[in-house]
Amino acid sequence: MNAPRTSKKALVIGGGIAGPVTALALREAGIEAEVFEAYETSAEGIGGTFMIAPNGLGALAVVGLGAEVGVIGQPVGPMVIEDGRGGVLAEFAGLADLPRGRLMRRAELYQVLQRRLHEVGLEVRYGKRLVGVEEGADGITAHFADGTSATGDLLIGADGTGSTVRTLIDPAAPAAEYTGLLGVGGYSPYRLPGRAGRGETVHFANGARAFFGYWGLADGSGTAWFSNIPQPEQLTAEQARTVSPEDWLRRCRELHADDLPAREVLRVADAGTVETFPRLEIMPSVPHWYRGRMVLVGDSVHAPSNSSGQGVSLAVESAVELARCLRDLPDHSEAFAAYEALRRPRVEKIAADAERTNSQKSAGPVGRLLFRLVAPIMMRTFMSPEKMLRPVHGYRIDWERRVVPVGRAGQAGRTGRAA
């Protein structure tokens, strides 16, 4: 499946998820890659739970990871929208002709990626915090805080919402914006009744004072849960850690004291499993995705909020599309322009939709009541599964189709398809 090797070498900044997938996709495109991570050690074991949607699984299949990722975590079954009082506002399953998404720990995906990098001989170099670059006619040199440097033909910023590469491309680039919500999650031995307790259904409830999500664990041992707490001022990770897990759980119990089944799930929840995610952020539209030999991928340029359920999926899509563009367009400026044309409309539409969802989550009592009243109508019309899920979950990258420069043979952006 690998394309013939070219003389190109890419320096990939960021060793989380987008960076390794970018390196693997570049390898499929015949381009050498080297990955640099700012932290001194691997992030193995760190991070909460997220979903990889069908479109993300499709992108991972391009780099040979579809089967391996398709068996970790647990499948996403029907989704139920509830009113926080035990009542169901709407229920819908995924599209029957698409694979089911997967709920997994970040650490599970991270292990798969690190194993594949090792298998193909791609190494992540840790303790390499980027501090500057030098561009020349024939290449680009990255300088790191430890005094070392590396030279390649291209530099790809996969360094997250706090991206250094983004500010090197454009010192005036916008920073990530806080969503006004703080995430708290964990596990509870509470067993949901019936089908819900077998991990087949994911529930979302706009409670009286906070948003609550939960699902039964696949082994039937209990329930995974999370709460999106309205928090006007963003906390740093250090500030969040000054509050004990027991106190975070106590706060969740207070916020959901009038919500069912949140109240029961939280009543017996294990404080030892509680994790806090203070940096629930969204990237505003980034004016410049690339400059010279530098380009952005993943959360560094298009982080939708967690409400989209698409953060990881969009990141791996973009990694694959960037590699595809670099494979087919030898001039990196043309490749970067085609890549942006492919990705910008899609990611910004999904981000805008997620931002509206955040507004509903952080709404006051009147806003929550209004949502409960209009939700059944919404689900029967413009929020039906076909209309809401098909354009997002059904999107597939046509890896075999050749990319053309923007403006030729129609638009370069018309190379993805909805399944």
Side-chain angles (χ1 to χ4, degrees):
M1 186 176 177
N2 292 353
R5 281 289 181 266
T6 72
S7 59
K8 288 181 183 175
K9 177 182 179 180
L11 310 177
V12 180
I13 308 300
I17 292 175
V21 175
T22 299
L24 291 169
L26 289 170
R27 181 178 180 275
E28 295 293 336
I31 298 169
E32 184 182 354
E34 195 169 5
V35 182
F36 301 87
E37 168 57 46
Y39 289 102
E40 295 288 342
T41 59
S42 160
E44 188 170 349
I46 296 174
T49 299
F50 55 66
M51 180 182 78
I52 300 184
N55 53 299
L57 294 174
L60 288 169
V62 172
V63 296
L65 291 174
E68 195 167 357
V69 175
V71 296
I72 59 178
Q74 67 184 75
V76 177
M79 295 187 182
V80 177
I81 310 298
E82 300 174 345
D83 61 8
R85 297 173 297 183
V88 174
L89 298 173
E91 179 175 356
F92 55 93
L95 300 173
D97 59 330
L98 297 180
R100 294 164 71 179
R102 308 287 302 188
L103 285 163
M104 64 187 68
R105 299 280 297 176
R106 179 184 177 90
E108 293 177 291
L109 178 59
Y110 189 84
Q111 289 171 356
V112 169
L113 292 174
Q114 295 304 306
R115 185 161 57 245
R116 181 54 56 89
L117 289 175
H118 179 74
E119 289 171 355
V120 301
L122 287 169
E123 182 181 355
V124 178
R125 302 188 182 279
Y126 294 100
K128 300 297 180 182
R129 185 171 297 278
L130 184 70
V131 293
V133 298
E134 287 182 78
E135 288 191 73
D138 299 323
I140 185 168
T141 298
H143 296 291
F144 303 104
D146 65 357
T148 62
S149 61
T151 299
D153 299 286
L154 309 167
L155 186 142
I156 299 170
D159 48 346
T161 55
S163 174
T164 297
V165 180
R166 186 174 65 242
T167 60
L168 292 173
I169 289 174
D170 177 12
E177 295 178 353
Y178 176 49
T179 62
L181 298 165
L182 180 146
V184 181
Y187 296 91
S188 169
Y190 181 85
R191 296 187 181 185
L192 301 168
R195 185 181 66 179
R198 298 193 298 273
E200 297 179 1
T201 308
V202 180
H203 304 255
F204 303 102
N206 219 347
R209 288 174 290 276
F211 186 88
F212 193 73
Y214 64 99
W215 59 91
L217 298 174
D219 62 5
S221 62
T223 302
W225 62 271
F226 70 87
S227 179
N228 288 157
I229 299 173
Q231 174 75 27
E233 294 185 5
Q234 185 175 16
L235 303 180
T236 65
E238 292 73 21
Q239 288 172 326
R241 283 195 290 269
T242 63
V243 181
S244 70
E246 291 79 9
D247 284 340
W248 282 120
L249 180 56
R250 188 177 300 112
R251 183 175 177 188
C252 289
R253 286 169 175 163
E254 291 170 355
L255 289 169
H256 294 289
D258 299 322
D259 302 334
L260 293 172
R263 181 177 66 199
E264 298 307 309
V265 172
L266 293 172
R267 182 178 58 82
V268 293
D270 180 1
T273 67
V274 169
E275 295 179 283
T276 308
F277 306 97
R279 300 188 65 83
L280 298 185
E281 297 174 321
I282 189 169
M283 279 303 302
S285 180
V286 175
H288 303 289
W289 284 36
Y290 61 92
R291 178 180 64 79
R293 294 177 177 272
M294 295 184 289
V295 66
L296 300 169
V297 70
D299 283 357
S300 66
V301 69
H302 59 61
S305 82
N306 64 310
S307 297
S308 70
Q310 279 288 313
V312 174
S313 295
L314 291 183
V316 299
E317 275 187 7
S318 288
V320 172
E321 288 286 33
L322 176 59
R324 183 168 158 264
C325 292
L326 289 168
R327 176 197 68 188
D328 294 343
L329 300 173
D331 181 272
H332 64 268
S333 297
E334 285 191 337
F336 293 165
Y339 159 69
E340 182 178 354
L342 280 163
R343 301 303 296 157
R344 184 187 283 274
R346 174 169 169 77
V347 300
E348 292 194 349
K349 169 66 165 59
I350 291 171
D353 291 345
E355 194 166 14
R356 284 191 289 272
T357 301
N358 283 342
S359 298
Q360 295 167 1
K361 286 183 177 181
S362 57
V366 174
R368 291 190 178 91
L369 176 60
L370 180 62
F371 176 76
R372 290 169 184 159
L373 293 174
V374 302
I377 300 172
M378 293 162 61
M379 293 299 170
R380 290 195 300 269
T381 55
F382 63 89
M383 285 186 71
S384 67
E386 183 66 32
K387 292 180 179 178
M388 188 171 62
L389 298 181
R390 177 72 64 184
V392 179
H393 289 188
Y395 186 86
R396 294 294 180 271
I397 297 168
D398 191 346
W399 177 257
E400 302 302 328
R401 184 173 180 177
R402 185 172 180 80
V403 179
V404 297
V406 174
R408 295 186 195 173
Q411 280 193 330
R414 293 179 181 173
T415 52
R417 59 184 174 83

